[in-house]
Amino acid sequence: MSFLELKNISFSVGKNNILNNINLNIDKSCFFSILGPSGAGKTTILRIITGALSAGEGQVILDGEIINRMPMEKRQIAMVHQSKQLFPHLTVLENIQFGMKMKKLGKDKIIEKTEEITEFFNMKTHLCKYPHQLSGGQQQLVALMRALATEPKVLLLDEPFTGLDNNLRNYIRDYILKVHRQFKITTVMITHDKEDAFFMSDKIAFLFNGEAVLCAEPAKLVDGTNIEEVNSFLGEITSLGDGSIVFSDKILRL
């Protein structure tokens, strides 16, 4: 049984169809990517999961419960936005604790969780700084810390590597995978980057023009698919026979 399910989800703005009958099944503790070009409807899916948008049709089901009418703050879903959306007037410590205080957690619980998460991210020396005093990579880590501090059932990542150079990109990517392994949190990432999706995901759903055309494990995509649109988007993939592939001119181990 899926932990997070999107069932027959459609969404339109006026006569413009953004999503058309989306069906996705995401297992508990899975790292699930939605891959597709800009404008395909990826961010709309995340906003429907969080409750920021209401689906025109269909159901969002979390842990067996239909949550369409559930308020955002009660969904136990955290989202790290592409723009990070840190509060500029709050310190790193205050940003991390903001969600916990909004949930009215006890003081001891807030202190305990703050210590745990700052130690895991090795950010103790930055707690008194403000976002503008941090690098782009550090800001992304604080956004992750703030999301994880509330102990969500699902973590949503909206193009998490936008604006990062290659070194920071690899650093944050490795950190996100470390977070996923440590906390075993069900994670949904949207991206237009094929390499990130292949490198990080247990499963990938392909979204084109508001339609989910395929959902598969990365290893099952190596020999191509029967969907020309997917094959064209992925380009050539060469298997090295040892569990590694040559993809986007880089060697990745699946």
Side-chain angles (χ1 to χ4, degrees):
M1 182 177 177
S2 299
F3 185 67
L4 175 64
E5 181 181 359
L6 302 185
K7 187 174 181 181
N8 303 323
I9 294 290
S10 294
F11 182 81
S12 300
V13 177
K15 295 182 178 180
N16 186 20
N17 294 326
I18 309 298
L19 299 175
N20 183 28
N21 198 36
I22 300 294
N23 287 278
L24 297 176
N25 296 283
I26 301 168
D27 294 334
K28 191 170 186 178
S29 302
C30 177
F31 196 110
F32 191 96
S33 287
I34 301 174
L35 176 63
S38 298
K42 302 187 297 297
T43 299
T44 301
I45 289 178
L46 291 197
R47 295 187 69 196
I48 287 173
I49 294 173
T50 65
L53 289 176
S54 296
E57 297 178 17
Q59 297 174 332
V60 181
I61 304 170
L62 177 60
D63 200 11
E65 181 180 4
I66 298 172
I67 62 172
N68 290 52
R69 298 184 181 275
M70 184 181 291
M72 293 177 64
E73 64 273 13
K74 293 185 178 181
R75 292 194 179 199
Q76 293 183 272
I77 294 171
M79 181 167 168
V80 177
H81 296 265
Q82 185 179 135
S83 59
K84 305 175 186 70
Q85 295 192 356
L86 299 177
F87 299 112
H89 61 290
L90 300 182
T91 64
V92 169
L93 176 63
E94 291 167 334
N95 266 283
I96 293 168
Q97 294 183 344
F98 181 83
M100 292 187 283
K101 289 180 177 179
M102 290 295 290
K103 288 192 169 187
K104 295 181 169 56
L105 299 184
K107 183 177 179 180
D108 290 344
K109 175 65 174 178
I110 290 175
I111 292 173
E112 177 187 348
K113 192 65 183 179
T114 301
E115 289 179 349
E116 175 192 350
I117 207 160
T118 51
E119 182 175 350
F120 179 83
F121 280 88
N122 194 28
M123 289 286 285
K124 286 187 176 181
T125 59
H126 301 288
L127 290 178
C128 293
K129 293 181 180 178
Y130 290 88
H132 74 272
Q133 297 174 304
L134 304 175
S135 68
Q138 289 169 337
Q139 290 177 15
Q140 189 69 292
L141 290 183
V142 175
L144 272 170
M145 293 166 71
R146 185 177 64 183
L148 291 168
T150 60
E151 299 182 342
K153 289 184 176 182
V154 178
L155 176 65
L156 306 179
L157 303 173
D158 180 8
E159 300 276 5
F161 311 111
T162 298
L164 302 181
D165 63 33
N166 284 336
N167 288 334
L168 274 178
R169 180 193 196 91
N170 292 335
Y171 177 75
I172 298 298
R173 187 165 68 179
D174 289 344
Y175 234 115
I176 288 174
L177 288 175
K178 180 182 176 182
V179 166
H180 185 254
R181 287 191 293 266
Q182 174 73 18
F183 296 98
K184 295 181 173 60
I185 185 170
T186 305
T187 303
V188 182
M189 178 178 74
I190 63 168
T191 181
H192 63 272
D193 191 283
K194 300 171 286 187
E195 180 188 333
D196 290 336
F198 262 72
F199 183 79
M200 303 179 74
S201 308
D202 298 310
K203 281 191 174 181
I204 302 173
F206 292 85
L207 192 71
F208 297 102
N209 299 316
E211 296 189 5
V213 299
L214 178 68
C215 182
E217 299 171 9
K220 294 183 178 179
L221 298 166
V222 173
D223 296 324
T225 73
N226 60 358
I227 302 173
E228 181 57 36
E229 199 169 20
V230 174
N231 296 338
S232 177
F233 185 79
L234 290 179
E236 185 175 350
I237 305 174
T238 303
S239 174
L240 299 180
D242 61 351
S244 299
I245 61 171
V246 178
F247 180 63
S248 297
D249 297 324
K250 295 182 180 180
I251 297 177
L252 300 179
R253 180 170 291 277
L254 299 181

